[in-house]
Amino acid sequence: RVLNAYAVMNMEVGYCQGMNMIGGLLLLLSDSEEECFGVLSCLMDRIGLADFYRDGFPLLREYLSACDEIMADLAPELLEHFRAEGVELNMYLQQWFLTLFIDCLPLELVLCIWDAIICDGLPMALQVAVTILTSLREPLSKMRFQEIATSFKTMRRHADKKGEWKVFEAGHLLVRAA
């Protein structure tokens, strides 16, 4: 109902895949649909998330292009490795941006990233994506296509040697690095 209400309120954006993840997380965090709608509206209209979902995905395209340019400067060897392995990085980045990382990272880490996005603006999402990729540059450079694809799909389940995510620390390190 929260997403339907937003789609009716902002018919230019309507509903787009990925918004369900955002709405779902908001509902997990609050018992109030009204509060969820208010936060969703703020994320979409004040923070600028709606531009990811507008017809033609203008902001998403801009972020994908910017990420490609930044990675070409910071880690050209990683991008070349992805090309050699046939990895379409934009395929993964689209999901990261459209779901604000819900689809790929542990919930506790996502909440740290959302805090940074709310406080510092949506460009923080681009900085976080670049930081994730550059932080994982070494292991990703040694992987073949299937390992890279599996790693991107299962990042939310990666654990340390004791089987625990150091999520709080990881979140703060990522945000600080971004």
Side-chain angles (χ1 to χ4, degrees), residues 40-123:
L40 178 65
S41 296
C42 179
L43 285 169
M44 298 294 276
D45 302 328
R46 288 192 193 147
I47 304 289
L49 189 59
D51 290 332
F52 273 151
Y53 304 108
R54 289 190 198 289
D55 190 37
F57 305 99
L59 190 61
L60 177 62
R61 292 160 122 358
E62 185 180 318
Y63 272 46
L64 293 174
S65 177
C67 191
D68 211 34
E69 289 176 26
I70 294 168
M71 289 300 295
D73 286 341
L74 296 179
E77 70 288 346
L78 182 60
L79 285 184
E80 183 54 40
H81 177 67
F82 285 164
R83 282 187 203 100
E85 289 297 322
V87 172
E88 294 288 331
L89 184 56
N90 282 353
M91 185 174 74
Y92 299 100
L93 291 174
Q94 286 177 15
Q95 283 303 108
W96 292 7
F97 292 137
L98 289 175
T99 67
L100 286 184
F101 304 97
I102 294 169
D103 202 29
C104 67
L105 295 174
L107 181 59
E108 297 88 350
L109 185 51
V110 170
L111 295 177
C112 290
I113 293 168
W114 278 32
D115 282 347
I117 290 170
I118 290 168
C119 291
D120 298 326
L122 195 54

Side-chain angles (χ1 to χ4, degrees), residues 124 131 169-178:
M124 183 58 74
T131 302
E169 294 88 351
H172 286 280
L173 288 173
L174 268 177
V175 169
R176 226 177 297 139

